[in-house]
Structure formats: C-alpha cells, structure tokens
Amino acid sequence: MGLVSTDKAPFALEQATGDLAEGAAKLAEEIGSTAVEALLASANRKAVRKGAAAALGSMEPKPAEWYAFDDKDQDTADWYPQGLTCGEESGSIGVPVFLVSWYFKPEAGERGIRVSFLSPQTLKYQHALLVAAKPDGSYGPIDIHAGGIACHGDLLYVADTVRGLRVFDLNNLLDLRTAQDDLGDPERVGRHGNKFHAFGYRYVIPQTDLWRVVTAGPRFSFASVDHSGDTPLLITGEFKDSDPDGWVGRWELDMSGGEPADAFVMGHPKIQGALSWDDTWYLSQSAGSSAKGKLLVHAGEEARTRQFPIGPEDLTVQDGKLWSVTEFRDKRVVFGVPL
C-alpha cells in the first residue's frame, strides 16, 4: 500500500478574501502589531524539556528531543493541540520557534482556536487567539478544528476541514497591551465599547484571507510546506478514520490556477499529518489515546514503518529533523526524530 496518483481537479481552491483583509487592517491600525521575537521575550508559560514522557509509550528509539507543555496545558480537557509548523518552514521568522494550533473542544462557550509560539532555546511559550475581524473593528472566535498549520514567509495557513485553508498574516500579530492597560474580561471576546477582549489572551491574530474549496466534498485535515527543493510546495490532505483512500495534494505557494500541482490517494487510514521531503513522503498515523502511532515512510517503491509516540498529529521540518506534536491529555509534547 502506498501513495497512488489521482485526479487533482476535485481539490481545487479559489481565493475568497471578501472583507477579511479590510477587517484585519482595521484591527491592526487600532491595536498595533508586534514581532514574534517580542512575543517570545514576554512569554508567560514554560515548557519542560523531555517532560510528559508518557506520550512516548514504549517507543524505541526515543525521539532526539522533545518539549512538553506545562501542567495546565497538559491537564485541560478543553483545548487539544493539532497543527505544527516552525520558523524554518516560514523562512522569515528571525528566531527558532515552533507554532502549535489548538482547538476548543466543548460545544458550549466556544472559544475558537489558538496558536502557541514555543521557543526551543528558552522553552518559554505564549498562546495567541486566532480571530475573524470585521471592517467595523469588531472580531470574534473561529470555530474550526485547526487540524494542521503551515507557514511560508509571513503567512500562516490553517486547515479548515470543510472550507479549505484560512490564512493569517503574522505581520498582524497584535498585542492588546499596546492598546490598553489590561487584557479585558477573560469571559468575553471582541470589541465592546472602547475596550478589546480576547478571553484573557494578550495576543490576537486576525484572519486575512481564505482559499476555499470550489466543489464541496474534499476535507482539509493537515498542512505543511516542503521546502527541500527549489520551489516550496504547500501540502494538505484528508484524515479518514477507517478508509485508506484519504487524499493528499501539493500546491505551489502562489496557488496559481487553484488546482494542486499533484494529488495522491495515501493508501492508509488515520493519517494526521503528511510531508514530502527530498522525494520521500512521511505520513503520521495515529492509533488512539493509549497506543503508539506510526511514521509511514514512502521513498519510491520502498515503504518503511517507524515507531511514533501516542497521538501524533501534524508534521514539519526544523534543524534537519522531522517534528510532530501529540494531542492527548498528560501526553502533549512537540518532538523531533531523524528524517
């Protein structure tokens, strides 16, 4: 079983910016933007190097390196990590950093999606809320799964399961402390009167663009960027729980024409992340909250299976290693293994 080329037309995307860019610009003008480096310098949480080892199960060999989220983020049943990208994938962020997307699970009291910025140098990290802004200066949470993220230049791509890819410009990383003395009401979001609220988060990032599916049906579950060749390629595809016919496709970053450059049926169920690198495909496969996952490696006709931690998700490459993030409570780590 392995990747088989398939018709790419069903996965075409079209740009649907609408008033997203206008709303984001209005919000940035009123609040003021900051840099990733400044966010990390003031980060309010601390990861633990080689913590939460339960995430690894009986995996051998162990990852080369891993970072565990703090006790509060390990224990919460409200937020689940899903997507992973990094500064090297971006190519324009000036410091080593991992970005991790989380979705809010409870149906009641929706709080949307957030991204953690984690420094592998200091282990400090900080959450930022991703929001949908309107031209009148208001904004609200985004209720999606955020199963995968990818970064190229200043643009952060977030997989939206049924719509396609949402886009956020990291130049619009907004610090509420520049606009007001406090962080507002931790139970409210948006602009109320002359005050901004973001459920107590200090940083917000408004959506600036949308690449939406042309034909209903394809589902977008993960995202990554292959920057091993001369032309970087944006990768996204579909998780299927029991069927092996989930798809994966690669787009040129200008998204010209809307269709992917190529598309494949993966031949495996439960794929949570996919990445091509130097003519090799890496697929992250989950097996529930208590069993180890697998890393499926396809290079031409050769196929190999490697051990992976419990609950592996999205994939990215930094410092010559393949990195992923795990999602389950008390087993939440960002980890790296050899390519």
Side-chain angles (χ1 to χ4, degrees):
M1 300 213 318
L3 279 74
V4 176
S5 182
T6 191
D7 182 12
K8 60 189 181 181
F11 313 116
L13 297 169
E14 62 182 2
Q15 194 169 19
T17 308
D19 61 10
L20 290 168
E22 183 182 354
K26 170 72 171 176
L27 204 57
E29 181 182 356
E30 294 203 43
I31 296 176
S33 60
T34 190
V36 172
E37 292 89 337
L39 175 149
L40 290 174
S42 63
N44 62 352
R45 294 181 180 271
K46 190 73 177 283
V48 179
R49 179 170 275 111
K50 297 194 173 180
L56 308 183
S58 58
M59 177 183 174
E60 290 294 343
K62 296 287 190 291
E65 184 69 280
W66 73 91
Y67 313 107
F69 294 100
D70 71 12
D71 289 345
K72 184 175 180 180
D73 287 328
Q74 291 290 343
D75 185 59
T76 180
D78 291 343
W79 291 94
Y80 283 76
Q82 296 289 298
L84 180 69
T85 184
C86 63
E88 189 172 308
E89 189 171 280
S90 159
S92 66
I93 299 175
V95 293
V97 64
F98 291 103
L99 283 69
V100 179
S101 67
W102 305 62
Y103 77 99
F104 189 75
K105 190 169 186 177
E107 293 183 7
E110 178 58 54
R111 299 203 170 197
I113 54 175
R114 69 187 187 189
V115 167
S116 303
F117 293 80
L118 167 64
S119 168
Q121 295 179 326
T122 67
L123 301 185
K124 294 171 67 178
Y125 71 97
Q126 176 91 39
H127 301 313
L129 190 69
L130 302 185
V131 298
K134 299 179 181 180
D136 65 0
S138 63
Y139 59 94
I142 298 172
D143 181 13
I144 62 173
H145 192 70
I149 58 175
C151 201
H152 182 70
D154 297 316
L155 298 183
L156 175 68
Y157 297 85
V158 179
D160 182 324
T161 309
V162 298
R163 294 176 184 87
L165 293 167
R166 295 180 184 246
V167 185
F168 300 78
D169 189 337
L170 295 179
N171 288 310
N172 291 333
L173 174 58
L174 310 182
D175 183 354
L176 297 188
R177 284 275 174 84
T178 65
Q180 58 198 35
D181 294 333
D182 59 45
L183 300 182
D185 186 341
E187 300 301 317
R188 304 182 78 180
V189 66
R191 180 175 183 165
H192 300 275
N194 293 320
K195 196 158 199 173
F196 298 102
H197 308 268
F199 298 127
Y201 292 101
R202 176 174 175 176
Y203 298 92
V204 299
I205 310 174
Q207 183 180 344
T208 52
D209 211 347
L210 171 66
W211 285 91
R212 69 184 178 196
V213 293
V214 174
T215 304
R219 297 172 73 84
F220 290 70
S221 305
F222 45 79
S224 60
V225 174
D226 179 350
H227 53 93
S228 63
D230 294 334
T231 302
L233 296 171
L234 177 67
I235 300 164
T236 186
E238 178 181 22
F239 168 90
K240 284 199 171 183
D241 189 44
S242 56
D243 295 334
D245 59 349
W247 67 277
V248 65
R250 296 185 289 196
W251 278 258
E252 294 185 8
L253 265 299
D254 62 5
M255 308 290 277
S256 58
E259 285 190 2
D262 52 23
F264 306 89
V265 173
M266 290 184 288
H268 304 279
K270 301 182 184 299
I271 300 303
Q272 301 277 15
L275 178 69
S276 63
W277 195 267
D278 286 337
D279 299 318
T280 298
W281 277 95
Y282 299 87
L283 308 177
S284 170
Q285 186 181 55
S286 61
S289 60
S290 59
K292 287 181 301 182
K294 296 177 182 178
L295 179 64
L296 309 176
V297 183
H298 292 271
E301 297 298 317
E302 180 187 0
R304 294 179 290 130
T305 299
R306 292 164 55 182
Q307 294 187 41
F308 235 28
I310 297 168
E313 291 284 326
D314 214 17
L315 298 172
T316 192
V317 171
Q318 181 155 288
D319 295 330
K321 299 183 182 69
L322 182 72
W323 294 83
S324 186
V325 61
T326 56
E327 69 168 319
F328 296 113
R329 291 177 69 184
D330 299 318
K331 300 171 184 174
R332 292 171 176 157
V333 301
V334 174
F335 67 93
V337 299
L339 278 165

